[in-house]
Amino acid sequence: MLVSGSIRIVGVTLHLALKDVSQALSLDLVLATIEAVQVALHRLGIRKPRIAVAGLNPHCGEEGLFGSEEEAIIRPAIAAAQKKGIKVTGPFPADSLFVGIKEKQDSDAYVAMYHDQSHIPIKTVAFDSIVGLIIGTPLVVATVGHGTAFGITGKGLANIRPMTETIKLVARSARGIT
């Protein structure tokens, strides 16, 4: 889960070639991701989380015109999560789901289908404060959201804010408060 303040985004798939994403998606994987987001939000102290899910294809597939993943995988996973009492909506077209993400507060977290769909919105508005919170484990594990930055190692150029935000989020997660 990429976190910056009240922005929280999780990718169902992560480091895959775009051509492999649709084959990797399954109802069980999307549902498990939604459930992991629900647990993580509870751990962050959000008692009645609202989760929004992005579609995979342009315009959520336009009823099969641009792909069938929304109807065959994503909608059924959302319905299954709703039956379990999770407040989840979607799928929404990804090209408009994240508009105003910094200002709007209608979702506590977003589920995206692949790496760039989840990383671009948050990195565009909050690059220097992103925390990568590992979810789906019983432990609180986090890292800075930008990667290793080996290119600036030892040059005195590193911004300490990502590490500071990571430490603060881990402390809040361990205490179960937002």
Side-chain angles (χ1 to χ4, degrees):
M1 174 181 285
L2 296 179
V3 179
S4 178
S6 64
I7 304 170
R8 302 167 196 91
I9 305 176
V10 175
V12 173
T13 65
L14 294 174
H15 295 105
L16 291 179
L18 190 54
K19 67 180 181 63
D20 298 328
V21 171
S22 64
Q23 285 78 33
L25 292 178
S26 68
L27 188 152
D28 290 339
L29 181 59
V30 175
L31 176 59
T33 303
I34 294 168
E35 291 172 332
V37 169
Q38 173 87 347
V39 170
L41 292 172
H42 282 160
R43 181 180 276 172
L44 290 170
I46 301 168
R47 297 292 153 230
K48 295 181 181 179
R50 300 158 299 159
I51 303 167
V53 178
L56 172 66
N57 297 295
H59 310 286
C60 284
E62 288 279 358
E63 298 178 7
L65 182 63
F66 300 125
S68 60
E69 291 83 2
E70 284 77 14
E71 298 305 319
I73 298 169
I74 301 169
R75 282 188 202 285
I78 291 168
Q82 289 169 336
K83 285 183 184 174
K84 293 181 174 200
I86 298 173
K87 188 172 181 182
V88 58
T89 54
F92 298 105
D95 64 348
S96 58
L97 176 61
F98 302 110
V99 171
I101 192 169
K102 202 170 181 178
E103 296 81 25
K104 67 181 181 179
Q105 299 295 315
D106 54 349
S107 296
D108 297 302
Y110 301 87
V111 174
M113 295 300 121
Y114 59 95
H115 182 278
D116 286 9
Q117 192 182 57
S118 64
H119 283 60
I120 290 171
I122 194 166
K123 286 187 175 183
T124 299
V125 299
F127 187 79
D128 69 342
S129 62
I130 300 169
V131 176
L133 181 64
I134 309 305
I135 66 172
T137 71
L139 302 173
V140 177
V141 181
T143 184
V144 294
H146 58 61
T148 57
F150 286 130
I152 63 170
T153 301
K155 296 180 182 176
L157 301 173
N159 178 348
I160 65 165
R161 184 169 181 208
M163 182 56 77
T164 303
E165 294 298 324
T166 301
I167 293 166
K168 290 190 308 191
L169 183 66
V170 168
R172 285 193 309 267
S173 297
R175 288 193 310 257
I177 59 172
T178 54

